[in-house]
Amino acid sequence: MNLGALLLDGVKATVLGMATVFFFLTLMICFMKLLSKALAPFSNFLEPVAAQPKKKAKKKEAAGKTAEISAEDRVRALAAIEAVKLFRAGK
Amino acid sequence: MKIRTFLMAFAALFVSCVLCAQDAALPKTLADLQKAVPGLVRDAEHSTNDDCFDWYKDPKTGDIYLVYVWGDENTMASFMTDAQNEADFKELSGAPKDEVASIITKAKATVEKIQAAKGKATIFATWAKKGNKLHDNTEIMTIKPVARSKGKVKMAASLIVTDLRAGLDTATALETNDVVGKFIPANLYHDSLREGSNARNLPSFGQSFILLGKSTGIYDLCRQTFQDFPNTWMLGLGKVIMTLVGILLVYLAIVKGFEPLLLLPIGFGSILANIPLAGISGPSGLQGMVYNVGIESGVFPLIIFLGVGAMTDFGPMLANPRTALLGGAAQFGIFGALLGALLLNFIPGLEFNMKDAASIGIIGGADGPTAIFLASRLSPSLLGAIAVAAYSYMALVPIIQPPIMRALTTDAERRIKMKQLRHVPQIEKICFPIMITLLCALLLPDAAPLIGMLMLGNLMRECGVVGRLTDTASNALMNIVTIFLGLSVGSKLSADQFLNAQTLGILFLGCAAFCIATATGVCFAKLMNMFSKDKINPLIGSAGVSAVPMAARVSNKVGLEYDPQNFLLMHAMGPNVSGVIGSAVAAGVLLCICGSI
């Protein structure tokens, strides 16, 4: 076996291999950058997960408001009941 | 008293087995055969002009005989005199001397004398048995002739074994012109029997006792070890050593936690493969069949890549694309180890050709499936050592990398804080795997199987509509394949394939490859900092070796040692996942270059 020729083959494979790896990855980086720019207007497309919490938050807010109103009503109702009781007692 | 009696009986059995004479059913050599079978001719119909074996035919009965001819003076002469054309003959006579033959003197168109090499071969495994029906491509034995590589002997025709050479077993030797067996051509056969023709009695008590003795592992280990100790010790004693190696791997997996998911089945697979007489790793054994289906075909590494894709988030790389270059720089470990393997040829006793060197180099990619994929295609005989080295060093990443990272960086560099990564929209993550697959298909189709499966897994994960498939690919399927992958890699840890100087060389080069990959990743990050405003913490360069996510975790851990607020994990995931792509691309290049040799 000619070791010199074998080593030369090894160097060729190294140069060719590293060049291909870097070329592929550089091209991949360029395409990734292009992709992010091209898809920027559609960034909210296919993102239902992000939209859902807002709806839930709204529902929670609405539910909270309903609870507050009913509490006020309850106080008013209690006050009215007390007033009626006092009125009936002749006070 | 009982124990002593038992031991004496056992010793008597053992001695009787060892001393048991083999009966000779076939003529032993070609000369004997020619005397026994008058009119024997060379069988041109079955002959493939092989220089190790030849076929002879009895024209009266149609029986054919397989004869081992490597180094046969007559055969070599007939090969030489086949060159009828004078020009061809001159070319032959001018050829340099090699281990096959050397022409001492010559006359025009005649060969006066050919010095034949010693034609002995050691049998490493036999699978043929008397009465077997052999089909095309059936493996019948593995032999290692002197001055030639070890090789599997496969049938190239449909035959029935009617008789086999007595004592044709592992560790026995074939001399030039030894008759291996007697066969009859069989284009059609069936298993219908005449009534009563299947009634057979057991052999006598004594013969049964001897048969039982010969079927013990101890007998087989002793027989193979001492048959021809310098050539066959590895088939007996070597199996014991490899069983201990298997136990060591199981220990490392259970006690030390080194890649237990793979080292445990590999270690136990090694124990199973080295059980004498069981033939579990043979072509009809479980490990052998799984190996043929999953590794030889290249299916298992690809399915593993599908699972890896289904578990990998390419978001950090998409958020900061330039870190992908660090994954490329770390691939220098692959080619550094390739050159190292070729340099090892200067050491007497070590011989690696280009394909071997490429298979060893891929260990530096720190990517087990890629290493197995490439080695199974370029150097299947080195697969066991390469797989063990790849997975062992992957498990040792937290020990190997930090000292190199510290040695190549300053304190200030280790404290560099990187910019917060941007949010990557889902649409971008969905388009990325499709884009990379197309890019690979256009530029490097040899890497397409690996990258294609990785990207399919990732697409399933990111699209969000095939949750069940993603779950299966990343859990159930991955786990099933991991078990079989480990077992079939373990089958390659048989003593005759593992116990040699090459394995030591591979283990050394694997470690060197990891160190080179780590160092080049860190140095490339420092180089990028010289030309960039947004500084990169060089510690993430070491994550370019594609041991996902362990290498990224190591970068994060070392970074936190110097600044507890500096979380590098997500930044390191960029080079880490690009390292997976980079090593697959490097494997594709090596497959393309070396596959054509």
Side-chain angles (χ1 to χ4, degrees):
Chain A
M1 192 188 299
N2 187 346
L3 290 179
L6 201 61
L7 277 174
L8 195 66
D9 282 350
V11 173
K12 277 184 212 166
T14 304
V15 173
L16 201 65
M18 286 306 291
T20 311
V21 169
F22 271 110
F23 176 70
F24 189 91
L25 291 178
T26 309
L27 211 60
M28 186 179 87
I29 291 168
C30 295
F31 274 100
M32 280 195 286
K33 286 186 173 174
L34 272 176
L35 199 69
S36 68
K37 281 181 184 167
L39 295 175
F42 311 102
S43 58
N44 288 329
F45 185 60
L46 289 174
E47 300 237 3
V49 184
Q52 269 181 347
K54 284 183 184 174
K55 283 183 184 175
K56 281 183 183 174
K58 277 182 183 175
K59 275 185 184 175
K60 274 186 183 174
E61 278 175 21
K65 278 180 186 174
T66 314
E68 274 175 30
I69 289 163
S70 63
E72 283 175 15
D73 285 350
R74 196 179 295 133
V75 171
R76 282 175 188 161
L78 286 170
I81 290 165
E82 285 299 312
V84 170
K85 280 180 182 173
L86 289 171
F87 176 74
R88 283 181 180 171
K91 290 180 181 177
Chain B
M1 187 65 188
K2 279 181 184 174
I3 293 171
R4 191 186 294 172
T5 313
F6 173 77
L7 285 174
M8 284 173 71
F10 185 80
L13 165 74
F14 184 72
V15 171
S16 68
C17 291
V18 172
L19 297 176
C20 177
Q22 308 274 7
D23 56 334
L26 268 180
K28 195 176 178 307
T29 68
L30 179 60
D32 298 338
L33 185 67
Q34 282 166 333
K35 281 178 197 166
V37 185
L40 190 78
V41 290
R42 192 161 166 267
D43 181 18
E45 188 187 340
H46 289 91
S47 180
T48 50
N49 281 332
D50 184 75
D51 60 350
C52 265
F53 291 95
D54 211 345
W55 294 97
Y56 284 83
K57 189 174 185 178
D58 180 357
K60 290 176 192 166
T61 60
D63 292 343
I64 52 173
Y65 298 86
L66 183 63
V67 178
Y68 175 72
V69 294
W70 163 245
D72 174 22
E73 211 166 314
N74 297 325
T75 309
M76 292 314 304
S78 72
F79 266 85
M80 292 300 176
T81 49
D82 277 348
Q84 296 294 325
N85 187 313
E86 195 177 344
D88 289 346
F89 185 76
K90 274 179 186 167
E91 195 180 330
L92 279 173
S93 62
K97 290 180 180 182
D98 65 5
E99 76 278 10
V100 177
S102 55
I103 299 170
I104 306 300
T105 57
K106 69 175 181 62
K108 191 179 176 185
T110 59
V111 176
E112 288 185 5
K113 187 181 175 187
I114 290 178
Q115 220 174 31
K118 195 182 174 190
K120 188 178 167 186
T122 305
I123 299 175
F124 276 70
T126 55
W127 313 110
K129 284 180 183 163
K130 197 172 167 179
N132 269 11
K133 300 170 182 73
L134 306 172
H135 304 281
D136 186 14
N137 210 30
T138 310
E139 187 182 331
I140 59 166
M141 61 176 147
T142 305
I143 59 160
K144 166 78 178 74
V146 173
R148 284 188 73 130
S149 66
K150 192 164 47 184
K152 290 177 181 174
V153 182
K154 293 185 176 183
M155 301 306 290
S158 291
L159 300 166
I160 296 175
V161 187
T162 55
D163 210 347
L164 272 180
R165 173 195 157 92
L168 186 76
D169 209 342
T170 45
T172 53
L174 282 176
E175 298 289 347
T176 302
N177 281 340
D178 272 359
V179 179
V180 177
K182 182 179 168 185
F183 306 77
I184 51 169
N187 295 325
L188 174 76
Y189 44 73
H190 57 79
D191 57 358
S192 174
L193 296 170
R194 283 201 185 90
E195 280 182 18
S197 63
N198 204 24
R200 284 174 192 161
N201 296 324
L202 277 176
S204 68
F205 183 77
Q207 281 176 324
S208 302
F209 195 63
I210 290 167
L211 278 175
L212 199 64
K214 281 184 177 177
S215 69
T216 58
I218 297 172
Y219 168 78
D220 196 63
L221 287 175
C222 293
R223 184 187 65 76
Q224 296 199 51
T225 304
F226 299 112
Q227 186 88 26
D228 177 12
F229 190 80
N231 289 322
T232 63
W233 68 270
M234 67 183 68
L235 294 170
L237 185 64
K239 281 181 177 163
V240 178
I241 295 170
M242 286 313 296
T243 304
L244 294 175
V245 170
I247 292 169
L248 176 71
L249 292 178
V250 171
Y251 167 81
L252 290 176
I254 296 171
V255 181
K256 298 288 179 186
F258 288 173
E259 289 281 340
L261 290 176
L262 268 154
L263 283 193
L264 186 79
I266 289 176
F268 206 81
S270 165
I271 297 171
L272 292 176
N274 286 289
I275 294 174
L277 297 170
I280 303 173
S281 61
S284 53
L286 172 72
Q287 284 180 295
M289 286 193 280
V290 172
Y291 178 84
N292 286 337
V293 169
I295 304 277
E296 208 166 75
S297 63
V299 167
F300 284 169
L302 297 179
I303 296 177
I304 294 275
F305 250 56
L306 178 79
V308 170
M311 291 194 290
T312 305
D313 179 13
F314 284 100
M317 189 178 73
L318 287 162
N320 192 2
R322 68 193 178 120
T323 57
L325 287 175
L326 298 173
Q331 303 315 314
F332 191 75
I334 293 176
F335 297 98
L338 184 149
L339 290 172
L342 295 177
L343 282 171
L344 282 186
N345 282 314
F346 285 104
I347 298 173
L350 284 177
E351 191 179 318
F352 295 117
N353 58 29
M354 194 65 194
K355 286 184 175 183
D356 296 339
S359 305
I360 295 165
I362 202 74
I363 300 172
D367 194 340
T370 308
I372 292 171
F373 182 78
L374 194 72
S376 65
R377 265 150 180 68
L378 297 182
S379 293
S381 60
L382 301 180
L383 179 64
I386 288 171
V388 168
Y391 282 108
S392 304
Y393 291 129
M394 274 166 70
L396 293 175
V397 159
I399 297 165
I400 295 172
Q401 285 195 321
I404 301 167
M405 293 157 73
R406 288 189 193 105
L408 293 173
T409 51
T410 62
D411 195 59
E413 282 171 335
R414 286 176 222 136
R415 292 171 193 275
I416 292 175
K417 282 195 175 179
M418 293 176 67
K419 266 187 180 177
Q420 180 73 28
L421 295 174
R422 71 175 172 94
H423 167 72
V424 179
Q426 196 188 0
I427 183 92
E428 216 174 306
K429 287 184 177 180
I430 290 173
C431 291
F432 173 74
I434 299 168
M435 180 195 79
I436 293 296
T437 309
L438 294 177
L439 196 63
C440 183
L442 293 173
L443 295 179
L444 199 62
D446 280 306
L450 285 167
I451 291 185
M453 292 305 280
L454 182 76
M455 292 302 150
L456 171 63
N458 190 251
L459 181 63
M460 292 195 313
R461 170 198 162 96
E462 299 300 348
C463 72
V465 293
V466 287
R468 280 160 53 195
L469 300 188
T470 312
D471 182 47
T472 304
S474 58
N475 293 303
L477 185 62
M478 184 98 159
N479 293 341
I480 290 167
V481 174
T482 302
I483 293 171
F484 287 129
L485 185 80
L487 271 178
S488 45
V489 168
S491 76
K492 289 285 149 188
L493 295 187
S494 56
D496 57 302
Q497 294 185 38
F498 200 85
L499 291 178
N500 50 48
Q502 283 187 327
T503 304
L504 281 178
I506 290 168
L507 293 175
F508 165 74
L509 285 169
C511 185
F514 264 64
C515 296
I516 295 168
T518 305
T520 46
V522 173
C523 292
F524 197 79
K526 292 175 76 164
L527 186 73
M528 283 173 75
N529 280 344
M530 291 167 73
F531 303 99
S532 160
K533 280 182 193 171
D534 297 326
K535 299 291 179 197
I536 292 173
N537 191 318
L539 294 178
I540 69 166
S542 68
V545 301
S546 47
V548 181
M550 200 181 288
R553 281 189 197 143
V554 170
S555 298
N556 185 51
K557 193 185 164 206
V558 177
L560 286 174
E561 281 174 17
Y562 293 90
D563 182 354
Q565 300 301 315
N566 196 4
F567 294 96
L568 294 172
L569 185 65
M570 291 317 285
H571 298 289
M573 282 306 289
N576 210 188
V577 294
S578 78
V580 178
I581 298 172
S583 58
V585 171
V589 174
L590 291 173
L591 202 60
C592 180
I593 296 172
C594 301
S596 59
I597 297 173

